[in-house]
Amino acid sequence: MIEYQSFTLDNGLQVLVHEDPSTSLAAVNILYNVGSRDESEHKTGFAHLFEHLMFGGSKHIDSYDQPLQHVGGENNAFTTPDITNYYLTLPAPNLETAFWLESDRMLSLSFDPQVLEVQRKVVIEEFKQRYLNQPYGDVWLKLRPIAYQLHPYRWATIGKDISHIENATMQDVRDFFKKFYHPANAILVVAGNVKYQQVCQLAGKWFGGIKAGPAYRRDLPQEPIQSESRIIKVSADVPLDAFYQVYHIPPRFTESYHQADLISDILGRGKSSKLYQTLVKERQMFSAISSYITGSLDPGLMVIQGQLLEGFSCDQGHRAVREIIDEMLTTEVTEEELQKVKNQAESSLVFGKVPLLNRAMNLALGALVGDADYINKEDTIIQDIKAEDIMALAPQILRENNSTTMYYQKQS
């Protein structure tokens, strides 16, 4: 059980406190309710750009990293389609340094043109290195806009086109910051060797004077139910043909999300899964194959991906994968099979709660959707899933006309 207390400042900042006296550290996590799904389709990549810009100095602090390192702290951040998350750890006696640093960049970035140019170049180089200049790097740049027709999940977190970042103006940056980076659009979690009253005092001192900012009402286009299978074929200088297939699944924090997750695990989690046993070990068609789900807050995807061995085509791999899916849909899931993937999922949850930062992040994500206590309910939700739940949901997800498939073929 992860114990926590919470309060909200007058400016709308939600604060959660998880006391853990067994550690000498404190973890501070700030989740901003903005991801790539909140961008304009003509100005994408901004949430990820801000992940970088927020380390470029703020109103009263030229360097974010230097003061934190002086007190023994470490920090990082990540961006997803749904959120932008900043986190740090430091010795608990130095907690106030974290509040000073985080509040100042929430109050105002420096908006230094030189910082924008430096970070713009960093993001452009990252785009090239990770997405354009490595084998299979552009898979999601090409697959997302086919799988999603309307929802902004149709572009990657890095952005739809790098020109959007190349052409970003300082006014664009200021507008994005004003819209999303303020107390009413953020959740602060403080965990570790801290006290609730201590956090209350520090939060009021350092964040209480920051204006709430404009209320953000998310109104995204909803993805229509897919009614036809889609196939995209690409070729590039890659070592092996690769197969990717995605199916739309329910959103996270819904009852059927974990059912979809277990379906994915039965199909392709680990070497005992159906896909691996049949297509890697028995038929020796794939060198590797797996399935997993995206943890999207809006309806996400179940992903099947694998690399084919020489002598087998993507079309052959596609047919073989479909055979296994069809067999799964017509064969009862055994209790032993279901319990195995439940145990795997629960093990991941248990080990995931060990790091202090993970607990802070999970509390923040739960609070975002209105249930911070979800972190304490998730394992029970998983264990309560029955075989009949799996058999009822699987045909809804694993419909052929709910699939989008990519044949990623090596150039001949």
Side-chain angles (χ1 to χ4, degrees):
M1 177 70 71
I2 306 300
E3 302 286 350
Y4 65 92
Q5 295 173 275
S6 63
F7 61 93
T8 302
L9 297 181
D10 291 342
N11 57 17
L13 179 67
Q14 296 182 61
V15 185
L16 291 87
V17 184
H18 166 54
E19 298 182 9
D20 181 0
S22 69
T23 178
S24 61
L25 297 175
V28 176
N29 189 91
I30 293 193
L31 181 155
Y32 286 95
N33 184 20
V34 55
S36 56
R37 64 174 173 167
D38 299 296
E39 299 162 346
S40 161
E41 66 176 312
H42 305 296
K43 294 180 179 179
T44 64
F46 274 67
H48 176 253
L49 175 63
F50 261 83
E51 177 193 322
H52 292 263
L53 287 175
M54 290 284 275
F55 292 100
S58 53
K59 188 173 183 178
H60 303 103
I61 302 167
D62 292 334
S63 168
Y64 179 94
D65 288 333
Q66 192 174 22
L68 185 62
Q69 290 168 356
H70 281 168
V71 296
E74 297 179 338
N75 71 89
N76 215 323
F78 62 85
T79 311
T80 76
D82 299 310
I83 64 169
T84 308
N85 199 74
Y86 299 86
Y87 56 93
L88 63 87
T89 57
L90 75 175
N94 299 327
L95 177 62
E96 189 162 10
T97 298
F99 277 79
W100 167 55
L101 290 169
E102 291 294 344
S103 64
D104 201 65
R105 63 178 177 179
M106 182 186 287
L107 176 67
S108 178
L109 290 185
S110 65
F111 296 112
D112 183 336
Q114 185 176 353
V115 172
L116 174 59
E117 290 311 309
V118 168
Q119 297 305 328
R120 189 201 311 270
K121 290 177 182 177
V122 170
V123 172
I124 290 170
E125 186 62 24
E126 180 182 345
F127 189 96
K128 292 176 180 177
Q129 289 297 322
R130 291 183 57 189
Y131 295 86
L132 301 182
N133 296 337
Q134 65 171 295
Y136 316 106
D138 59 351
V139 165
W140 292 105
L141 297 179
K142 290 181 164 65
L143 188 52
R144 276 186 176 274
I146 307 300
Y148 288 101
Q149 304 286 291
L150 290 180
H151 194 283
Y153 284 165
R154 67 185 185 273
W155 57 82
T157 308
I158 194 79
K160 183 164 65 172
D161 193 303
I162 198 59
S163 65
H164 293 178
I165 297 302
E166 289 174 335
N167 299 327
T169 67
M170 182 59 75
Q171 190 59 50
D172 291 332
V173 170
R174 288 180 179 273
D175 290 345
F176 197 85
F177 180 84
K178 182 179 179 181
K179 184 175 182 180
F180 294 112
Y181 285 80
H182 56 78
N185 203 48
I187 297 168
L188 168 66
V189 179
V190 183
N193 197 354
V194 300
K195 295 294 185 182
Y196 175 74
Q197 289 302 327
Q198 174 194 18
V199 174
C200 289
Q201 186 269 327
L202 289 173
K205 175 182 178 180
W206 289 104
F207 289 95
I210 304 176
K211 292 182 180 179
Y216 176 49
R217 298 285 182 265
R218 185 175 281 112
D219 184 22
L220 305 180
Q222 297 304 298
E223 187 67 20
I225 295 174
Q226 188 171 336
S227 58
E228 79 291 325
S229 61
R230 304 164 186 158
I231 295 182
I232 176 176
K233 299 180 180 180
V234 300
S235 62
D237 183 16
V238 293
L240 293 168
D241 287 355
F243 172 84
Y244 298 85
Q245 188 169 64
V246 297
Y247 295 84
H248 294 278
I249 63 169
R252 193 168 179 180
F253 296 100
T254 60
E255 183 178 354
S256 50
Y257 169 84
H258 283 294
Q259 297 171 13
D261 194 14
L262 294 184
I263 291 169
S264 162
D265 289 348
I266 291 169
L267 267 176
R269 178 173 179 168
K271 294 184 178 181
S272 62
S273 65
K274 292 179 181 293
L275 289 170
Y276 191 94
Q277 281 290 311
T278 303
L279 301 183
V280 176
K281 293 192 71 176
E282 295 175 16
R283 299 193 195 177
Q284 297 182 2
M285 294 181 68
F286 285 80
S287 62
I289 191 167
S290 63
S291 68
Y292 59 92
I293 63 173
T294 60
S296 308
L297 296 185
D298 289 335
L301 299 172
M302 180 184 297
V303 183
I304 299 172
Q305 66 180 59
Q307 292 184 339
L308 289 133
L309 291 170
E310 293 284 356
F312 294 98
S313 68
C314 287
D315 183 63
Q316 288 174 310
H318 188 175
R319 289 199 301 270
V321 168
R322 191 65 225 180
E323 286 174 15
I324 293 169
I325 291 174
D326 289 340
E327 181 181 354
M328 178 178 174
L329 295 178
T330 56
T331 306
E332 290 289 335
V333 175
T334 67
E335 284 301 324
E336 180 183 2
E337 194 173 27
L338 180 57
Q339 195 59 51
K340 182 193 73 173
V341 292
K342 281 184 180 181
N343 292 344
Q344 289 174 332
E346 187 170 16
S347 177
S348 296
L349 282 178
V350 170
F351 284 109
K353 292 176 185 178
V354 173
L356 186 64
L357 262 173
N358 283 12
R359 281 174 264 160
M361 290 178 190
N362 286 332
L363 283 168
L365 193 60
L368 177 65
V369 298
D371 188 5
D373 201 47
Y374 193 84
I375 190 174
N376 295 316
K377 303 173 183 175
E378 204 166 7
D379 54 347
T380 302
I381 292 171
I382 292 171
Q383 288 300 336
D384 285 346
I385 294 172
K386 299 177 175 58
E388 50 262 38
D389 299 325
I390 299 295
M391 296 308 297
L393 183 62
Q396 299 176 41
I397 293 175
L398 296 170
R399 297 179 286 111
E400 199 157 6
N401 58 4
N402 186 39
S403 69
T404 301
T405 307
M406 172 184 278
Y407 293 175
Y408 203 116
Q409 298 162 314
K410 66 175 185 177
Q411 292 174 337
S412 55

